[in-house]
C-alpha cells in the first residue's frame, strides 16, 4: 500500500481453502502522519494469479480511522526511496538487482533527527534465500539450486558511503515450505512485514547544506572464492522487492545552507565500518558411483559499524550463523539459522537500544515413487525484539517507547501427492506471542491442526515439545 510514492504497508495473502478465504488486519498508520495531513493518491497493489486452475478473484476493503488521543511525536517530513511511479498509478517498489535504487534529495537545514526505514523481501529464487547454496554449487544435483549463499544483507548508502545495514528476518509466506503449515494461521509477520530502521542523524551535518544528496539501497549475499574464503557479493538472484522512507524530524530553526556549513564544519561524522568477518566451511560427498550424494556448508558472519558526529552516534553489532545440509541427492534439506544484533543510538550521553534475534530451523524430507510422492516437513522459528526507546513510532517495533516482543512458531506437516491427481495433507502448527508495549502486556497461544483451530488461549505461551525437531 502506497500514499503517493511512499510505501506504508507491505502485506500478503492467506492460504486458500476450498471454502474460500477471508482475513483482516489492523495496522497503526501513525508514523505517516505527515502524509495523512495532506491529500494523497492511495495505491493498493495485491497481485493475483489467474489460470485454468487458480481462478479465484478477491475484494479488498480499506478503512481508515483517525483519532486525536494518544498522539506521539512523529516525523515532520517523509521522503520515499522508491521508484516514484504514482503518476502512472503504479506501485513504486524497486526490483533488485535489476533496478537502480538511487534517489536524490535536498534535506531541510532544520533537520534535527533522521531515520531511514527499509522494506525488503525476497521473491522468486530469493524467497527462500536462507536455504540457498553458494553460486558455485547450484549445479551440484539434478536441477538448479538458487545461489549467492543463504546470507543476505540490505545496505543503505548516502552519497556512496555505507550508512547502515539490515539483516532481514526470514519471512515465510503462506504456501512456503508446505502449504499445510499455514491453514488457517500464517507465518510470523507475513501479514505485516516490519521495516528495520537505520538512524542517519550523524550524517545531518553533511547533508543539510542545501545540495542534492543520494540515497541508495543494495542487497548482497556471499561469493565463495577458489581458496574457500567468502566475500560480500556484488549482486543477488531474482529478486528482492525494496523501498525505503526517510523520516525527518525538524527543530524549527531553519538556517541558511552557508550558515549550517560553517556551524557544522567541525561535526563531520567519523565512520568505522570495516568489512564483516566471514568464515565458511563446505563439504561435498559422493556415493560409490561418483555421483554427488550430499552437500553440507556452514557460514558465520559478524559485523560492527559505528558512525559518530559530535553529539550523536549510530552503531550496529550483528551476528549470523547458518548450517545447511542437503542429502539424498538434494531431495532432503536441513537448515539451522540464527540472526541477532543490537542497534544503538547515543545522544548527549543517553543511549537507546534495539536488540533482536531470529532463530530458524526447517527440515524437509522428500520421497518419490511411481504412484506417489511425499513431503515431510518440520519447522521451528522465532522473532524476539526488545527496545529501551525509539524515536517516534517505530516502523520496526511498531510501537513508541520501550517495548518487548517474543513470537515463536513450530509445527509438523505431511503432504502426499498421488499420480492419479489426488493429494492429502496434514499440518499441526502452534504460534505463541508475548509482548509488552506502552506498559501493557499481552500474550496468546494458538494451535491449528489440519486446517482448524484446536485452541486459542490468552495467557502464558507454552514451550515447544522436545519431539518437534
Amino acid at each position: 500500500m502506497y500514499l503517493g510514492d511512499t510505501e506504508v504497508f507491505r502485506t500478503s495473502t492467506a492460504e486458500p481453502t476450498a471454502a474460500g478465504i477471508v482475513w483482516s488486519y489492523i495496522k497503526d498508520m501513525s508514523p505517516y502522519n505527515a502524509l495523512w495531513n495532506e491529500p494523497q493518491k492511495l495505491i493498493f497493489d495485491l497481485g493475483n494469479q489467474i489460470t485454468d486452475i487458480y481462478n479465484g478473484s478477491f475484494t479488498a476493503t480499506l478503512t481508515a480511522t483517525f483519532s486525536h488521543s494518544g498522539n506521539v511525536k512523529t516525523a515532520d517530513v517523509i521522503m520515499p526511496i522508491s521508484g516514484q511511479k504514482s503518476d502512472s498509478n503504479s506501485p513504486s517498489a524497486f526490483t533488485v538487482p535489476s533496478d537502480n535504487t538511487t534517489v536524490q534529495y535536498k534535506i531541510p537545514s532544520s533537520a534535527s533527527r533522521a531515520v531511514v526505514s527499509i522494506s525488503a523481501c525476497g521473491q522468486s529464487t530469493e524467497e527462500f534465500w536462507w536455504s540457498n547454496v553458494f553460486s558455485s554449487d547450484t549445479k551440484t544435483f539434478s536441477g538448479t539450486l538458487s545461489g549467492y549463499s543463504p546470507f543476505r544483507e540490505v545496505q543503505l548508502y548516502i552519497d556512496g558511503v555505507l550508512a547502515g545495514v539490515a539483516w532481514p528476518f526470514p519471512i515465510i509466506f503462506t504456501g512456503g515450505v508446505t502449504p499445510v503449515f499455514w491453514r488457517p494461521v500464517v507465518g510470523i509477520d507475513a501479514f505485516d512485514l516490519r521495516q528495520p530502521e537505520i538512524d542517519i542523524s550523524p550524517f545531518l551535518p553533511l547533508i543539510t547544506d542545501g545540495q542534492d544528496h543520494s540515497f541508495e539501497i543494495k542487497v548482497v549475499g556471499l561469493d565463495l572464492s577458489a581458496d574457500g574464503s567468502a566475500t560480500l557479493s556484488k549482486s543477488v538472484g531474482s529478486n528482492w522487492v525494496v523501498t525505503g522512507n526517510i523520516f525527518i524530524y525538524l527543530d524549527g530553526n531553519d538556517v541558511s545552507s552557508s550558515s549550517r556549513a560553517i556551524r557544522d564544519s567541525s561535526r563531520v561524522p567519523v565512520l568505522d565500518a570495516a568489512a564483516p568477518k566471514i568464515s565458511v566451511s563446505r563439504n561435498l560427498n559422493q556415493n560409490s558411483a561418483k555421483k554427488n550424494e550430499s552437500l553440507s556448508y556452514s557460514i558465520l558472519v559478524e559485523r560492527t559499524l559505528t558512525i559518530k558526529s559530535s553529539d550523536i552516534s549510530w552503531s550496529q553489532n550483528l551476528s549470523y550463523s547458518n548450517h545447511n545440509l542437503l542429502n539424498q541427492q538434494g531431495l532432503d534439506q536441513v537448515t539451522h539459522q540464527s540472526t541477532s544484533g543490537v542497534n544503538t543510538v547515543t545522544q548527549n550521553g543517553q543511549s537507546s537500544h534495539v536488540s533482536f534475534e531470529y532463530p530458524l530451523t526447517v527440515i524437509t524430507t522428500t520421497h518419490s515413487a511411481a504412484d506417489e510422492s511425499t513431503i515431510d516437513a518440520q519447522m521451528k522459528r522465532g522473532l524476539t525484539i526488545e527496545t529501551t526507546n525509539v524515536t517516534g513510532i517505530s516502523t520496526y517495533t511498531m510501537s513508541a517507547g520501550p517495548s518487548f516482543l517474543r513470537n515463536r512458531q513450530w509445527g509438523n506437516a505431511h503432504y502426499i501427492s498421488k499420480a492419479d491427481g489426488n493429494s492429502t495433507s496434514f499440518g499441526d502448527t502452534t504460534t505463541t506471542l508475548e509482548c509488552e508495549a506502552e506498559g501493557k502486556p499481552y500474550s496468546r497461544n494458538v494451535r491449528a491442526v489440519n486446517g482448524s483451530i484446536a485452541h486459542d488461549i490468552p495467557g502464558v505461551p507454552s514451550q515447544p515439545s522436545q519431539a518437534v525437531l
Side-chain angles (χ1 to χ4, degrees):
M1 175 179 163
Y2 300 81
L3 296 180
D5 297 319
T6 305
E7 183 177 355
V8 298
F9 180 28
R10 183 172 297 190
T11 188
S12 63
T13 59
E15 180 66 16
T17 68
I21 51 174
V22 178
W23 78 97
S24 61
Y25 190 84
I26 299 173
K27 180 175 177 64
D28 187 352
M29 289 289 188
S30 300
Y32 307 98
N33 280 343
L35 302 178
W36 292 112
N37 286 333
E38 300 176 357
Q40 298 288 340
K41 177 184 286 186
L42 190 151
I43 297 175
F44 185 72
D45 177 59
L46 188 62
N48 192 17
Q49 183 183 38
I50 301 293
T51 68
D52 292 341
I53 300 173
Y54 303 107
N55 55 16
S57 61
F58 52 74
T59 300
T61 301
L62 303 179
T63 303
T65 302
F66 296 88
S67 172
H68 291 289
S69 63
N71 286 340
V72 175
K73 171 65 176 175
T74 57
D76 300 287
V77 178
I78 302 174
M79 298 177 171
I81 304 174
S82 71
Q84 303 184 12
K85 300 177 182 178
S86 64
D87 285 346
S88 61
N89 297 327
S90 300
S92 293
F94 291 118
T95 300
V96 173
S98 59
D99 288 347
N100 179 355
T101 65
T102 304
V103 297
Q104 301 271 345
Y105 285 115
K106 289 181 175 66
I107 304 301
S109 63
S110 60
S112 60
R113 193 76 182 268
V115 176
V116 174
S117 68
I118 295 177
S119 293
C121 61
Q123 302 285 348
S124 188
T125 64
E126 292 288 301
E127 182 173 354
F128 305 105
W129 50 269
W130 40 268
S131 65
N132 285 15
V133 301
F134 291 110
S135 296
S136 55
D137 287 322
T138 57
K139 301 291 186 180
T140 298
F141 308 107
S142 61
T144 301
L145 301 171
S146 298
Y148 295 99
S149 87
F151 172 79
R152 291 295 178 270
E153 179 176 88
V154 185
Q155 303 172 331
L156 173 68
Y157 287 85
I158 298 177
D159 293 338
V161 175
L162 184 66
V165 301
W167 287 6
F169 174 72
I171 285 286
I172 301 179
F173 294 109
T174 54
V177 185
T178 67
V180 291
F181 276 136
W182 318 118
R183 295 175 183 158
V185 299
V186 297
I188 297 172
D189 281 7
F191 277 170
D192 192 356
L193 278 66
R194 294 174 192 275
Q195 302 172 33
E197 296 172 317
I198 297 172
D199 198 307
I200 63 168
S201 301
F203 281 87
L204 289 178
L206 290 180
I207 61 177
T208 53
D209 58 358
Q211 304 299 311
D212 282 334
H213 294 275
S214 68
F215 296 82
E216 181 182 12
I217 298 173
K218 295 181 180 181
V219 183
V220 301
L222 295 179
D223 282 334
L224 189 65
S225 303
D227 63 1
S229 63
T231 56
L232 293 178
S233 64
K234 300 296 184 183
S235 185
V236 290
S238 176
N239 54 47
W240 281 74
V241 181
V242 173
T243 65
N245 292 321
I246 309 169
F247 293 86
I248 299 175
Y249 298 78
L250 306 179
D251 62 11
N253 297 315
D254 198 15
V255 295
S256 68
S257 58
S258 59
S259 298
R260 167 73 77 168
I262 294 173
R263 191 181 79 185
D264 292 337
S265 60
S266 62
R267 299 173 59 211
V268 175
V270 176
L271 282 70
D272 182 1
K277 297 178 181 179
I278 306 169
S279 61
V280 301
S281 64
R282 173 189 171 276
N283 186 47
L284 178 64
N285 291 317
Q286 296 182 322
N287 58 24
S288 58
K290 301 298 182 181
K291 189 171 184 178
N292 293 337
E293 181 65 30
S294 67
L295 172 68
S296 61
Y297 49 102
S298 297
I299 300 170
L300 301 175
V301 185
E302 293 182 343
R303 183 191 268 283
T304 59
L305 177 149
T306 302
I307 302 172
K308 298 180 179 179
S309 64
S310 62
D311 59 353
I312 191 169
S313 70
W314 160 256
S315 65
Q316 298 184 270
N317 193 335
L318 309 173
S319 178
Y320 166 94
S321 67
N322 179 286
H323 305 279
N324 256 292
L325 168 65
L326 287 90
N327 55 27
Q328 197 184 319
Q329 299 176 6
L331 293 177
D332 301 345
Q333 185 162 9
V334 178
T335 300
H336 296 288
Q337 179 172 289
S338 179
T339 308
S340 61
V342 180
N343 297 332
T344 303
V345 176
T346 302
Q347 186 172 25
N348 300 323
Q350 300 294 319
S351 295
S352 61
H353 309 275
V354 177
S355 62
F356 60 88
E357 182 180 15
Y358 312 146
L360 171 70
T361 293
V362 174
I363 301 172
T364 56
T365 303
T366 303
H367 297 283
S368 296
D371 58 342
E372 69 178 34
S373 61
T374 65
I375 299 175
D376 288 289
Q378 301 171 63
M379 165 273 300
K380 183 168 67 174
R381 57 201 297 248
L383 168 68
T384 299
I385 301 173
E386 188 168 5
T387 177
T388 58
N389 212 338
V390 292
T391 298
I393 300 176
S394 170
T395 60
Y396 180 64
T397 68
M398 302 182 183
S399 63
S403 64
F404 170 78
L405 169 70
R406 187 175 187 268
N407 210 168
R408 291 291 183 268
Q409 199 164 51
W410 63 91
N412 298 273
H414 180 69
Y415 176 81
I416 302 176
S417 177
K418 296 183 180 296
D420 60 9
N422 294 319
S423 63
T424 58
S425 60
F426 174 84
D428 185 341
T429 301
T430 300
T431 303
T432 68
L433 173 68
E434 297 174 273
C435 65
E436 183 170 342
E438 300 178 8
K440 299 176 181 179
Y442 178 83
S443 64
R444 194 164 180 175
N445 183 317
V446 178
R447 183 184 180 192
V449 179
N450 207 24
S452 300
I453 296 297
H455 69 239
D456 184 354
I457 304 171
V460 178
S462 63
Q463 297 299 313
S465 168
Q466 296 299 313
V468 171
L469 295 175

